[in-house]
Amino acid sequence: MLFLGIYFFTLLGNLGMLLVISADSHLHSPMYFFLSHLSFLDLCFSSVTVPNMLENLLSQRKTISVEACLVQAFFVLISAGTEAFLLSAMAYDRYVAICHPLLYGQLISKQQCVQFVWGSWGLGFLDAVINIPVALKMDFCDTYTIPHYSCELPSLFPLSCSDVSTNLIIMLCIMIPHGAVTFLSIFFSYVFIVSTILSITSSSGRGKAFSTCSSHLVTVLLFYGSGFLRYFMPTSGSFLELVFSVQYSVITPMLNPLIYSLKNKEVKAAVRRTLGKCLSCHC
Protein backbone atom coordinates (compact mmCIF):
# COMPACT_ATOMS: atom_id res chain seq x y z
CA MET A 1 0.00 0.00 0.00
CA LEU A 2 2.90 2.38 0.72
CA PHE A 3 4.48 1.96 -2.72
CA LEU A 4 1.07 2.00 -4.41
CA GLY A 5 0.37 5.33 -2.71
CA ILE A 6 3.77 6.69 -3.79
CA TYR A 7 3.13 5.61 -7.38
CA PHE A 8 -0.35 7.15 -7.32
CA PHE A 9 1.01 10.50 -6.09
CA THR A 10 3.83 10.31 -8.66
CA LEU A 11 1.31 9.90 -11.48
CA LEU A 12 -1.04 12.54 -10.06
CA GLY A 13 1.71 15.10 -9.41
CA ASN A 14 3.52 14.77 -12.73
CA LEU A 15 0.35 14.56 -14.81
CA GLY A 16 -0.91 17.62 -12.94
CA MET A 17 2.29 19.53 -13.76
CA LEU A 18 1.98 18.58 -17.44
CA LEU A 19 -1.67 19.69 -17.50
CA VAL A 20 -1.06 23.01 -15.73
CA ILE A 21 1.97 23.92 -17.87
CA SER A 22 0.18 23.10 -21.13
CA ALA A 23 -3.08 24.82 -20.12
CA ASP A 24 -1.69 28.06 -18.67
CA SER A 25 -0.20 30.50 -21.17
CA HIS A 26 1.77 32.26 -18.40
CA LEU A 27 3.96 29.14 -18.13
CA HIS A 28 4.82 28.89 -21.82
CA SER A 29 8.48 29.79 -21.28
CA PRO A 30 11.75 27.80 -21.64
CA MET A 31 11.97 27.05 -17.91
CA TYR A 32 8.54 25.43 -17.82
CA PHE A 33 9.09 23.76 -21.19
CA PHE A 34 12.01 21.90 -19.57
CA LEU A 35 9.96 21.27 -16.44
CA SER A 36 7.15 19.67 -18.45
CA HIS A 37 9.64 17.28 -20.04
CA LEU A 38 11.09 16.53 -16.59
CA SER A 39 7.59 15.59 -15.40
CA PHE A 40 7.12 13.33 -18.43
CA LEU A 41 10.50 11.70 -17.73
CA ASP A 42 9.58 11.10 -14.09
CA LEU A 43 6.36 9.43 -15.25
CA CYS A 44 8.39 7.15 -17.53
CA PHE A 45 11.06 6.46 -14.90
CA SER A 46 8.63 5.42 -12.18
CA SER A 47 6.44 3.42 -14.61
CA VAL A 48 9.44 1.36 -15.70
CA THR A 49 10.13 0.02 -12.20
CA VAL A 50 7.22 0.55 -9.78
CA PRO A 51 4.46 -1.59 -11.42
CA ASN A 52 6.79 -4.61 -11.52
CA MET A 53 7.80 -3.88 -7.92
CA LEU A 54 4.12 -3.80 -6.86
CA GLU A 55 3.50 -7.12 -8.60
CA ASN A 56 6.46 -8.72 -6.83
CA LEU A 57 5.38 -7.39 -3.44
CA LEU A 58 1.92 -8.94 -3.91
CA SER A 59 2.78 -12.26 -5.58
CA GLN A 60 4.23 -15.35 -3.93
CA ARG A 61 6.41 -16.17 -6.94
CA LYS A 62 8.71 -13.21 -7.49
CA THR A 63 10.45 -14.12 -10.76
CA ILE A 64 11.51 -12.34 -13.91
CA SER A 65 13.17 -13.68 -17.06
CA VAL A 66 16.62 -12.50 -18.11
CA GLU A 67 15.16 -10.89 -21.23
CA ALA A 68 12.47 -9.01 -19.28
CA CYS A 69 15.08 -7.91 -16.74
CA LEU A 70 17.34 -6.50 -19.49
CA VAL A 71 14.37 -4.74 -21.11
CA GLN A 72 13.67 -3.04 -17.79
CA ALA A 73 17.36 -2.11 -17.45
CA PHE A 74 17.24 -0.69 -21.00
CA PHE A 75 14.40 1.72 -20.18
CA VAL A 76 15.94 2.62 -16.80
CA LEU A 77 19.14 3.67 -18.63
CA ILE A 78 17.17 5.74 -21.15
CA SER A 79 15.10 7.50 -18.46
CA ALA A 80 17.96 8.15 -16.05
CA GLY A 81 20.42 9.18 -18.77
CA THR A 82 17.95 11.56 -20.37
CA GLU A 83 17.07 13.11 -17.01
CA ALA A 84 20.74 13.78 -16.23
CA PHE A 85 21.22 15.71 -19.50
CA LEU A 86 17.88 17.50 -19.08
CA LEU A 87 18.85 18.69 -15.58
CA SER A 88 22.09 20.13 -16.99
CA ALA A 89 20.08 21.94 -19.70
CA MET A 90 17.80 23.35 -16.99
CA ALA A 91 20.86 24.53 -15.03
CA TYR A 92 22.13 26.33 -18.15
CA ASP A 93 18.71 27.95 -18.56
CA ARG A 94 18.86 29.28 -14.98
CA TYR A 95 22.45 30.45 -15.52
CA VAL A 96 21.47 32.51 -18.57
CA ALA A 97 18.32 33.87 -16.88
CA ILE A 98 20.21 35.10 -13.80
CA CYS A 99 23.68 35.94 -15.13
CA HIS A 100 22.73 37.26 -18.60
CA PRO A 101 19.05 38.34 -18.39
CA LEU A 102 19.29 40.82 -21.27
CA LEU A 103 20.54 38.07 -23.63
CA TYR A 104 18.06 35.44 -22.42
CA GLY A 105 15.80 35.64 -25.48
CA GLN A 106 18.77 35.19 -27.82
CA LEU A 107 20.61 32.44 -25.92
CA ILE A 108 17.52 30.38 -24.94
CA SER A 109 15.21 30.34 -27.94
CA LYS A 110 12.35 27.91 -28.54
CA GLN A 111 14.39 26.10 -31.19
CA GLN A 112 17.33 25.69 -28.82
CA CYS A 113 15.04 24.33 -26.09
CA VAL A 114 13.74 21.69 -28.50
CA GLN A 115 17.32 20.83 -29.50
CA PHE A 116 18.33 20.47 -25.82
CA VAL A 117 15.41 18.10 -25.15
CA TRP A 118 15.94 15.96 -28.25
CA GLY A 119 19.68 15.90 -27.55
CA SER A 120 18.98 14.67 -24.00
CA TRP A 121 16.74 11.87 -25.28
CA GLY A 122 19.27 10.94 -27.96
CA LEU A 123 22.18 10.69 -25.51
CA GLY A 124 20.09 8.73 -23.00
CA PHE A 125 19.08 6.31 -25.76
CA LEU A 126 22.72 6.01 -26.82
CA ASP A 127 23.71 4.95 -23.28
CA ALA A 128 21.17 2.13 -23.36
CA VAL A 129 22.02 1.04 -26.92
CA ILE A 130 25.71 0.71 -26.04
CA ASN A 131 25.29 -1.09 -22.69
CA ILE A 132 22.36 -3.49 -23.16
CA PRO A 133 23.50 -5.38 -26.34
CA VAL A 134 26.76 -6.21 -24.55
CA ALA A 135 24.80 -7.34 -21.49
CA LEU A 136 22.79 -9.75 -23.69
CA LYS A 137 25.96 -11.82 -24.07
CA MET A 138 26.19 -12.53 -20.35
CA ASP A 139 25.49 -16.11 -19.25
CA PHE A 140 23.39 -16.95 -16.20
CA CYS A 141 23.97 -20.57 -15.23
CA ASP A 142 21.42 -20.87 -12.46
CA THR A 143 18.47 -19.15 -10.83
CA TYR A 144 19.65 -16.15 -8.83
CA THR A 145 18.12 -13.63 -6.49
CA ILE A 146 18.49 -9.96 -7.44
CA PRO A 147 19.02 -8.08 -4.16
CA HIS A 148 16.99 -5.11 -5.38
CA TYR A 149 13.48 -4.00 -6.27
CA SER A 150 14.33 -3.48 -9.95
CA CYS A 151 16.67 -4.73 -12.66
CA GLU A 152 19.69 -2.51 -13.19
CA LEU A 153 23.08 -3.40 -14.63
CA PRO A 154 25.11 -3.12 -11.39
CA SER A 155 22.77 -5.71 -9.81
CA LEU A 156 23.14 -8.17 -12.70
CA PHE A 157 26.94 -8.26 -13.04
CA PRO A 158 27.59 -10.23 -9.80
CA LEU A 159 24.97 -12.83 -10.83
CA SER A 160 26.57 -13.75 -14.17
CA CYS A 161 28.77 -16.86 -14.42
CA SER A 162 30.63 -15.40 -17.44
CA ASP A 163 33.36 -12.78 -17.51
CA VAL A 164 31.73 -9.36 -17.09
CA SER A 165 34.90 -7.26 -17.05
CA THR A 166 34.13 -5.94 -20.56
CA ASN A 167 30.57 -5.07 -19.52
CA LEU A 168 31.84 -3.26 -16.43
CA ILE A 169 34.46 -1.30 -18.39
CA ILE A 170 31.90 -0.25 -21.02
CA MET A 171 29.41 0.82 -18.35
CA LEU A 172 32.04 2.86 -16.50
CA CYS A 173 33.35 4.40 -19.74
CA ILE A 174 29.81 5.55 -20.50
CA MET A 175 28.61 6.45 -16.99
CA ILE A 176 31.69 8.34 -15.75
CA PRO A 177 31.93 10.83 -18.68
CA HIS A 178 28.13 11.10 -18.74
CA GLY A 179 27.92 11.84 -15.03
CA ALA A 180 31.03 14.05 -14.99
CA VAL A 181 29.97 16.24 -17.94
CA THR A 182 26.42 16.77 -16.71
CA PHE A 183 27.41 17.23 -13.06
CA LEU A 184 30.25 19.64 -13.82
CA SER A 185 28.06 21.69 -16.16
CA ILE A 186 25.47 21.98 -13.39
CA PHE A 187 28.17 22.71 -10.77
CA PHE A 188 29.80 25.53 -12.74
CA SER A 189 26.42 26.96 -13.72
CA TYR A 190 25.55 27.27 -10.05
CA VAL A 191 28.98 28.68 -9.16
CA PHE A 192 28.29 31.56 -11.56
CA ILE A 193 24.67 31.81 -10.39
CA VAL A 194 25.65 32.07 -6.71
CA SER A 195 28.38 34.58 -7.55
CA THR A 196 25.87 36.74 -9.43
CA ILE A 197 23.25 36.48 -6.68
CA LEU A 198 25.76 37.55 -4.00
CA SER A 199 26.68 40.60 -6.06
CA ILE A 200 23.06 41.82 -6.02
CA THR A 201 22.80 44.68 -3.51
CA SER A 202 19.06 44.39 -2.83
CA SER A 203 18.10 41.65 -0.34
CA SER A 204 14.71 41.23 -2.04
CA GLY A 205 16.48 40.87 -5.40
CA ARG A 206 18.78 38.20 -3.97
CA GLY A 207 15.81 36.34 -2.54
CA LYS A 208 13.90 36.47 -5.81
CA ALA A 209 16.93 35.31 -7.83
CA PHE A 210 17.65 32.45 -5.44
CA SER A 211 14.01 31.31 -5.39
CA THR A 212 14.07 30.81 -9.18
CA CYS A 213 16.84 28.22 -8.98
CA SER A 214 16.51 26.67 -5.50
CA SER A 215 13.88 24.12 -6.63
CA HIS A 216 16.10 22.93 -9.46
CA LEU A 217 19.09 22.68 -7.10
CA VAL A 218 17.12 20.46 -4.68
CA THR A 219 16.07 18.20 -7.57
CA VAL A 220 19.68 17.92 -8.76
CA LEU A 221 20.94 17.00 -5.28
CA LEU A 222 18.27 14.30 -4.86
CA PHE A 223 18.83 12.78 -8.30
CA TYR A 224 22.63 12.88 -8.41
CA GLY A 225 23.13 11.99 -4.75
CA SER A 226 21.01 8.83 -4.80
CA GLY A 227 22.01 7.92 -8.39
CA PHE A 228 25.74 8.19 -7.64
CA LEU A 229 25.45 6.04 -4.52
CA ARG A 230 23.29 3.53 -6.40
CA TYR A 231 25.64 3.00 -9.37
CA PHE A 232 29.05 3.40 -7.75
CA MET A 233 28.55 1.56 -4.45
CA PRO A 234 29.64 -2.11 -4.45
CA THR A 235 26.58 -4.33 -4.95
CA SER A 236 26.01 -6.08 -1.64
CA GLY A 237 22.24 -6.12 -1.14
CA SER A 238 22.56 -4.17 2.10
CA PHE A 239 19.61 -2.27 3.55
CA LEU A 240 21.29 1.08 2.83
CA GLU A 241 21.75 0.12 -0.82
CA LEU A 242 18.06 -0.76 -1.07
CA VAL A 243 17.18 2.64 0.41
CA PHE A 244 19.30 4.43 -2.21
CA SER A 245 17.74 2.33 -4.98
CA VAL A 246 14.20 3.23 -3.84
CA GLN A 247 15.17 6.90 -3.37
CA TYR A 248 16.65 7.04 -6.88
CA SER A 249 13.87 5.35 -8.84
CA VAL A 250 10.72 5.71 -6.71
CA ILE A 251 10.87 8.64 -4.27
CA THR A 252 12.60 11.28 -6.43
CA PRO A 253 10.01 11.13 -9.29
CA MET A 254 7.29 11.70 -6.69
CA LEU A 255 9.08 14.61 -4.98
CA ASN A 256 9.97 16.62 -8.11
CA PRO A 257 6.48 18.01 -8.82
CA LEU A 258 6.03 18.77 -5.10
CA ILE A 259 9.36 20.64 -4.97
CA TYR A 260 8.56 22.74 -8.02
CA SER A 261 4.94 23.45 -7.07
CA LEU A 262 5.45 24.23 -3.38
CA LYS A 263 8.43 26.54 -3.92
CA ASN A 264 7.20 28.26 -7.07
CA LYS A 265 4.66 31.09 -6.86
CA GLU A 266 4.01 31.04 -10.62
CA VAL A 267 3.12 27.35 -10.57
CA LYS A 268 0.81 27.80 -7.56
CA ALA A 269 -0.89 30.74 -9.27
CA ALA A 270 -1.25 28.69 -12.47
CA VAL A 271 -2.78 25.80 -10.49
CA ARG A 272 -5.36 28.20 -9.00
CA ARG A 273 -6.18 29.62 -12.45
CA THR A 274 -6.49 26.15 -13.98
CA LEU A 275 -8.71 24.91 -11.15
CA GLY A 276 -10.83 28.05 -11.49
CA LYS A 277 -11.28 27.44 -15.23
CA CYS A 278 -12.21 23.79 -14.60
CA LEU A 279 -14.75 24.72 -11.94
CA SER A 280 -16.30 27.48 -14.07
CA CYS A 281 -16.58 25.12 -17.07
CA HIS A 282 -18.17 22.46 -14.84
CA CYS A 283 -20.65 24.97 -13.39
Side-chain angles (χ1 to χ4, degrees):
M1 291 303 297
L2 173 64
F3 286 112
L4 180 62
I6 290 172
Y7 186 54
F8 173 76
F9 282 113
T10 301
L11 294 179
L12 186 66
N14 286 291
L15 284 172
M17 287 295 290
L18 285 170
L19 175 64
V20 168
I21 292 172
S22 62
D24 196 291
S25 59
H26 295 84
L27 301 184
H28 292 175
S29 64
M31 174 183 172
Y32 296 105
F33 175 78
F34 290 131
L35 182 55
S36 65
H37 282 275
L38 180 65
S39 294
F40 178 72
L41 264 174
D42 285 333
L43 279 174
C44 296
F45 200 3
S46 59
S47 297
V48 167
T49 56
V50 179
N52 182 250
M53 181 196 301
L54 293 173
E55 181 188 357
N56 288 333
L57 290 171
L58 287 173
S59 63
Q60 295 294 324
R61 200 163 169 268
K62 309 174 193 300
T63 60
I64 188 170
S65 66
V66 174
E67 293 78 13
C69 197
L70 289 174
V71 167
Q72 189 180 78
F74 179 82
F75 286 107
V76 166
L77 281 174
I78 291 177
S79 302
T82 303
E83 186 156 338
F85 283 109
L86 186 63
L87 288 173
S88 64
M90 293 174 73
Y92 175 71
D93 170 71
R94 292 298 85 205
Y95 159 73
V96 175
I98 293 173
C99 300
H100 304 285
L102 298 179
L103 299 175
Y104 185 76
Q106 299 176 18
L107 296 176
I108 306 291
S109 64
K110 183 177 180 181
Q111 183 179 2
Q112 286 172 322
C113 292
V114 172
Q115 289 173 351
F116 278 134
V117 169
W118 280 111
S120 300
W121 278 103
L123 291 168
F125 184 77
L126 184 64
D127 285 352
V129 166
I130 291 174
N131 280 284
I132 298 303
V134 182
L136 288 170
K137 299 178 182 179
M138 292 192 301
D139 295 322
F140 297 90
C141 306
D142 202 352
T143 301
Y144 290 104
T145 300
I146 300 173
H148 282 286
Y149 295 113
S150 60
C151 292
E152 297 181 51
L153 289 181
S155 304
L156 297 180
F157 291 156
L159 308 183
S160 175
C161 57
S162 58
D163 182 19
V164 295
S165 57
T166 303
N167 302 73
L168 186 60
I169 290 170
I170 289 173
M171 188 189 77
L172 291 177
C173 287
I174 295 295
M175 296 293 178
I176 291 176
H178 184 155
V181 169
T182 55
F183 179 78
L184 288 175
S185 65
I186 293 171
F187 175 77
F188 285 113
S189 294
Y190 275 96
V191 167
F192 289 116
I193 287 171
V194 171
S195 175
T196 302
I197 290 174
L198 293 177
S199 66
I200 299 174
T201 55
S202 168
S203 59
S204 61
R206 283 198 300 268
K208 184 178 180 180
F210 183 74
S211 67
T212 63
C213 59
S214 58
S215 300
H216 180 253
L217 187 58
V218 172
T219 300
V220 167
L221 291 174
L222 285 173
F223 180 79
Y224 274 89
S226 56
F228 179 83
L229 293 168
R230 172 67 189 92
Y231 273 86
F232 293 101
M233 278 181 64
T235 302
S236 61
S238 64
F239 175 75
L240 191 60
E241 195 177 348
L242 289 172
V243 170
F244 289 137
S245 180
V246 172
Q247 166 69 40
Y248 171 68
S249 59
V250 180
I251 304 298
T252 300
M254 179 191 70
L255 292 179
N256 283 346
L258 292 175
I259 292 168
Y260 278 98
S261 60
L262 293 176
K263 291 180 66 64
N264 193 306
K265 293 180 180 179
E266 290 182 346
V267 172
K268 288 190 284 188
V271 170
R272 288 193 292 268
R273 285 193 295 268
T274 304
L275 288 176
K277 289 178 182 177
C278 292
L279 289 174
S280 63
C281 289
H282 178 69
C283 293

